[in-house]
Amino acid sequence: MKEYLTKLMKKIIMFVSFIIFLVLAAFSPQKEKVSATEGKDRPNGNLQTESILPSGKQWQLVWHDEFDGNTLDTTKWNYRLNFWGYRSPTFTKEGVELDGDGHLRINLVREGDDFYSGHLQTGSNTFDIPRDPDVKGFWPFGAKQPAKFMHRFGYYEIRCKLPKNKGWHAAFWLQSPSIGAHPDPRYGGVECDIMENYRQHTEGLTVCGCLWGGYGKEGKGYGHFRFPYEETTDGWHTYAVDWSPEGYMFYADGKLIGKQMASDLH
């Protein structure tokens, strides 16, 4: 028996430009566009929901998903299913649904004492590659999933509702397809955690920040910003990062949370 537990609802919009995976709306800096006002919503053409764009720059929308209809747009999204050549016991294609009203719901699926959830991404990275069942040589891996969207530098944004249940971990990342392949992030890339929601239930905090060099002994990072989770009147939150050659600027509900600059990399 499978049970869909309380739902994580996300409405995804995105303004971005980065080498990324999970995104909702993306903007790229463009000279011919009118600058947005910091902390203010501006209409963005065919977006259903207005976005909060940083001031002092001019933007062009390059990617977005408003989750129209009743079926996930697989021309934009892949499912993460594998981990280092093996099917992950916690990833699934189940529990991901659109409600027909512009919302994506990602449900936690329970089967007996086991739990699963859908992980959506616009590309794939090294540890997503499945094994090749017909391998005859020394290399055990098959092929990466083709990227649906990869970009560099811009503003990436999600509008979402977060789960309230203790122990549930919701996140919105940008992730290099080759993180950890080289200790220097100029070559291997970074994981940019725009929003990590796993401390809200115990400490009342939300987390954002960057790390690089992989996830083992060579892993490094700036240290993550931990900021208070604050309720909004309608329950919706907006999390974003402005990524440029100078570094990363993190936002939550239109407020600048912190900066992690390229000059600080070491």
Side-chain angles (χ1 to χ4, degrees), residues 143-163:
K144 286 184 180 179
Q145 296 183 86
K148 306 294 177 69
F149 176 77
M150 294 181 67
H151 202 250
R152 188 175 185 180
F153 300 140
Y155 180 73
Y156 303 75
E157 178 186 87
I158 183 173
R159 186 168 184 256
C160 61
K161 287 186 176 181
L162 297 175

Side-chain angles (χ1 to χ4, degrees), residues 30 188 202 251 258:
Q30 294 291 323
T202 56
Y251 295 87

